[in-house]
Amino acid sequence: MQTSPRFHGPVLGLFRIVLGLLFACHGAATLFGVLGGGHGPTPGLGQWPGWWAAAIQLAGGGLVLLGLATTPAALLCSGSMAYAYFVHHQPDGLFPLQNGGEPAALFCWAFLLIAALGPGRWSLAELPALRLRQCTHQEVTDRRHA
């Protein structure tokens, strides 16, 4: 059974919003100790790779959540999770189930999907385009009635 194409944009938009929110929460938890705190000690400012990973999670997740610079932000988030998987998880076992890398693998592929398909609906990036379309439509309507 196929879904109607009219649902693709809204479902992709909801997926992007939830994915960005969850990722940004990871970054905020690690950097600021909120939402139950991170998975370990808070990294020092600029400490490699913990602080940088958390900064990417917070900033990249926030951009994806809002739908701003979605493709480059999603690519950066995907790459950071690929790095986390191969450097920190994969040496502990071949499969994500064995090495605890399931979240990293899922985030990596989910962000790659967003980078490939775009932000879907309800992104802040589409607001200027909506205003332009509304203005153009209004100008056309005004010309017809003149």
Side-chain angles (χ1 to χ4, degrees):
M1 180 176 162
Q2 286 188 337
T3 60
S4 171
R6 69 184 174 130
F7 295 120
H8 294 177
V11 169
L12 182 59
L14 288 172
F15 180 73
R16 171 189 50 80
I17 290 166
V18 170
L19 182 68
L21 176 65
L22 292 174
F23 206 58
C25 286
H26 272 278
T30 300
L31 290 175
F32 308 116
V34 297
L35 304 170
H39 301 285
T42 301
L45 181 65
Q47 181 183 2
W48 178 259
W51 185 89
W52 291 98
I56 289 170
Q57 290 169 356
L58 181 59
L63 287 171
V64 169
L65 165 68
L66 297 172
L68 291 171
T70 306
T71 298
L75 281 173
L76 180 63
C77 293
S78 177
S80 74
M81 288 294 94
Y83 175 88
Y85 181 78
F86 286 110
V87 171
H88 296 288
H89 296 286
Q90 204 276 326
D92 295 335
L94 181 60
F95 297 108
L97 188 59
Q98 294 172 315
N99 62 32
E102 289 168 302
L106 286 170
F107 272 125
C108 177
W109 286 104
F111 279 114
L112 190 59
L113 181 71
I114 294 294
L117 297 180
R121 297 291 307 270
W122 307 303
S123 71
L124 292 182
E126 77 177 1
L127 289 180
L130 287 174
R131 287 189 194 135
L132 179 62
R133 273 188 256 143
Q134 288 172 348
C135 290
T136 305
H137 176 62
Q138 187 62 42
E139 290 171 6
V140 171
T141 304
D142 291 345
R143 282 188 223 147
R144 285 184 187 159
H145 296 296

